[in-house]
Amino acid sequence: MVHKYGYIDRDGNFAMEPIFDFTNSFRNGIASCDFEGKSRFITVKGDTVLQTNYSFVGDFYCGRALFTNGSKFGYMDLEGNVVIPTIYDHAYNFSEGYASITAPNGKIGIIDIEGNLIIDPIYDTAMHFENGIATVSNEEGKYGCINIDGDFVIEPIYDSHIFFSEGLAAVNVRSKHGYIDMQGNLKIPLQYKYTNGFNGGLAPVLVGSKYGFINKTGSIVIDPVFDDVGKFISGDLSAAKLSKKWGYINRSGEFIIEPKFKNVSHFTEDRAFVIENEYQVVIKTSGEFIDTKYSLIQAESFNEGLSAVQAEVRK
């Protein structure tokens, strides 16, 4: 057996046979993949739109893709032209026209899509811009958020990364978790052992040793009775774990798909993957299984109608 990568559609059919050395999810109609030692970009029909000689090329964000030439990182455009040379020890994807890069001093700064340094490399951690702000950390290991001028809009007082979703971010101070808004106002008190981001108006929280869900007012809407939970990424189902098995609950906390799986993914485009007999299996929101041509070793969430999968193929 060999393990190769390809793409399946929502009905389990292989839109592209598993012939690739590696594949990524589709974004804006194209995806990066590795074939015969080279990186290339393909359309949902499998047509090659760009081929490179680089060992690694990432996905396109803001018209720029990360690539490596040796040990350094740079960026190319949609035609494969190098627009920012490979001069960085590490670099991150663009978001809202800006990207974090690691400078020779080991610190992180921010560049624009032309490679101009917008914010000096003075931070120990920096994330992508979202809604005009980005998370950074200082020398004390505290996290806050800056705007594109480098001014703090949320002071660095938190103990972990700050990710906003649906206007709120989960924050942590001395192992107490709550939520702030984009102005840094504490909207839900620091009272939980663990929190995660909001999706569909609900967020998972850990109360004692059990997980439940709260709404944006901080009210518990699904009682904390589960051993672990996922998120309501799309639709009305979230993964939930009970007695060492995973299933799916609705927004009332009722199991719609009984907990019987070793592991599961979240639903996207009305499809999810579950572990069945050590392989990944596609299921519908009804819990119905979808057959695939090959046994799946791993799979990415569906995006633009396709899932990048690793399959077990006989030579």
Side-chain angles (χ1 to χ4, degrees):
M1 292 287 187
V2 294
H3 295 167
K4 289 289 185 179
Y5 292 80
Y7 293 91
I8 61 171
D9 63 21
R10 294 173 66 253
D11 294 321
N13 303 310
F14 269 84
M16 277 172 259
E17 291 287 317
I19 61 172
F20 301 100
D21 299 319
F22 189 75
T23 52
N24 283 308
S25 296
F26 276 90
R27 182 178 300 275
N28 298 319
I30 61 174
S32 59
C33 62
D34 294 339
F35 184 71
E36 295 182 345
K38 295 182 179 180
S39 292
R40 64 175 62 187
F41 288 86
I42 57 175
T43 68
V44 293
K45 294 183 178 181
D47 299 323
T48 298
V49 294
L50 174 64
Q51 183 167 318
T52 78
N53 292 316
Y54 300 113
S55 58
F56 166 78
V57 181
D59 291 326
F60 279 97
Y61 294 82
C62 302
R64 299 288 184 265
L66 271 172
F67 75 98
T68 56
N69 186 14
S71 60
K72 299 288 187 178
F73 288 80
Y75 297 86
M76 68 173 60
D77 64 17
L78 290 162
E79 284 72 46
N81 302 310
V82 175
V83 289
I84 301 174
T86 49
I87 58 176
Y88 301 113
D89 292 330
H90 198 73
Y92 302 84
N93 291 321
F94 274 90
S95 176
E96 299 186 356
Y98 303 99
S100 301
I101 53 88
T102 302
N105 65 358
K107 299 290 186 178
I108 296 178
I110 307 291
I111 60 172
D112 65 16
I113 60 173
E114 303 303 327
N116 301 307
L117 187 64
I118 302 301
I119 296 177
D120 290 335
I122 60 174
Y123 299 106
D124 291 303
T125 302
M127 302 299 291
H128 62 273
F129 272 88
E130 188 172 0
N131 298 308
I133 63 176
T135 298
V136 297
S137 69
N138 60 20
E139 292 181 351
E140 288 74 41
K142 298 293 184 180
Y143 293 83
C145 292
I146 59 171
N147 60 23
I148 197 56
D149 295 321
D151 301 322
F152 274 100
V153 294
I154 297 174
E155 292 300 316
I157 61 174
Y158 298 106
D159 293 334
S160 60
H161 288 288
I162 302 171
F163 296 101
F164 280 93
S165 60
E166 300 184 1
L168 295 176
V171 292
N172 168 24
V173 177
R174 293 187 294 276
S175 299
K176 292 291 185 181
H177 298 254
Y179 293 85
I180 60 172
D181 64 17
M182 297 191 71
Q183 289 72 48
N185 302 308
L186 187 64
K187 304 300 288 186
I188 299 175
L190 301 165
Q191 59 183 320
Y192 299 107
K193 294 178 67 176
Y194 169 83
T195 53
N196 209 325
F198 276 91
N199 291 92
L202 300 180
V205 296
L206 178 61
V207 181
S209 62
K210 298 293 183 178
Y211 290 85
F213 287 85
I214 60 171
N215 61 21
K216 289 186 178 181
T217 68
S219 300
I220 291 178
V221 294
I222 297 178
D223 289 336
V225 297
F226 304 102
D227 299 328
D228 203 351
V229 293
K231 294 182 180 181
F232 290 92
I233 297 291
S234 65
D236 293 324
L237 294 182
S238 169
K241 187 178 184 182
L242 199 60
S243 300
K244 299 182 180 181
K245 296 292 184 179
W246 286 91
Y248 292 89
I249 59 173
N250 62 17
R251 295 170 71 89
S252 297
E254 303 164 329
F255 274 105
I256 301 302
I257 300 175
E258 292 301 312
K260 58 184 179 180
F261 302 109
K262 180 179 179 180
N263 209 345
V264 298
S265 74
H266 55 258
F267 272 96
T268 58
E269 300 183 3
D270 294 329
R271 297 292 185 269
F273 292 91
V274 300
I275 298 293
E276 180 81 359
N277 297 325
E278 304 304 319
Y279 290 103
Q280 300 264 15
V281 180
V282 190
I283 62 169
K284 300 179 180 180
T285 53
S286 64
E288 178 185 352
F289 289 88
I290 298 175
D291 290 331
T292 56
K293 181 178 178 181
Y294 303 104
S295 298
L296 304 183
I297 306 302
Q298 66 181 49
E300 298 294 326
S301 296
F302 277 90
N303 195 34
E304 301 184 11
L306 297 177
S307 168
V309 300
Q310 182 186 26
E312 194 173 77
V313 184
R314 292 185 180 276
K315 285 187 176 182

